[in-house]
Amino acid sequence: MEREQAMIYDVAIVGGSYAGMAAGLQLAQARRKVVIVDEGKPRNRFATHSRGFLTQDGRSPHDIKAAGYAELAQYPTVEWCMGKAETVTGEIDNFTLTLAGSMAAESLRARRVILAAGVGDELPPLPGLGERWGQYVFHCPYCHGFDLNRGRIGVLATSVAAMHLALLLPDWGRTTLFLNDAFEPDKEQLEKLAKRGTHIERGAVARLTGDALEVVMADGRVFPLDGLFVVTQTAPSVLAIRLGCELDVTPLGRVIKTSAAKATSVPGVFACGDIAMPVGNLSLAVSDGALAGQAAHHSLVFDL
């Protein structure tokens, strides 16, 4: 569908992955004019399959997203715009989104905005980690732990936040916490780790290597693993910062602060998915997006 120059959309959704599509689907049911701006870089694009999403368990993230796109394409009031939203300006009932792409910059106008662009993971600068991200190195055991078949699991510490994974992961396999000189557990923490059966390895990790996954320590020790988990940091949304949205600081990075109805501190702007919650999970993103879509519709109807 070609965009009309004078068209003002009911809702512009920034981000066309799981949360954004779920929001768009709710608005499509209400026959609202929606434009979804998508850069095409979902957070889980490095993973071969996704776990824990009801009816889609084990399916590839690409296939799940393609199925969502096909469903939304059936609705005549939903339009897709492939590109990156660089700025969002204006106020409730009159927002302007400036896009950047291969062509000249263009703008869209909308009465409401839903930010659902997701986040990127800031990975530790450890040699060999980046190329194994999503294949052997993960951040979510609920998404990837089952397929490790109760094998050898590692947790790479970058801070004391690694304790959470180190206590959680024994349900998925034999777990080793690599302290990596990031912190030293106190007596209480040591007791908790022992109770869960988590093994501890002290010393710095030098690199990841091997055709699959091996942790190589600075002193030369080598630990073959089936999977390694790490607590990543997520960068805050640049669009949200420019808009003036209030942020929440979490152990995993800064996210957009929202109300129970997914409203941000800026009237007329909503946020959902990984960009608005510290825990990244496909099922949670879809649920969050559906809530944001309904909330945006209510805002239009009741002038909220």
Side-chain angles (χ1 to χ4, degrees), residues 95 130 186:
F95 290 104
D186 59 26

Side-chain angles (χ1 to χ4, degrees), residues 193-238:
L193 291 167
K195 185 176 180 180
R196 288 290 285 158
T198 300
H199 181 68
I200 296 174
E201 287 294 341
R202 291 176 171 80
V205 175
R207 64 186 182 277
L208 305 183
T209 188
D211 293 334
L213 176 62
E214 292 180 338
V215 172
V216 181
M217 308 296 289
D219 60 12
R221 290 176 294 150
V222 178
F223 296 88
L225 296 174
D226 296 295
L228 180 70
F229 288 80
V230 61
V231 176
T232 62
Q233 289 287 308
T234 58
S237 164
V238 174

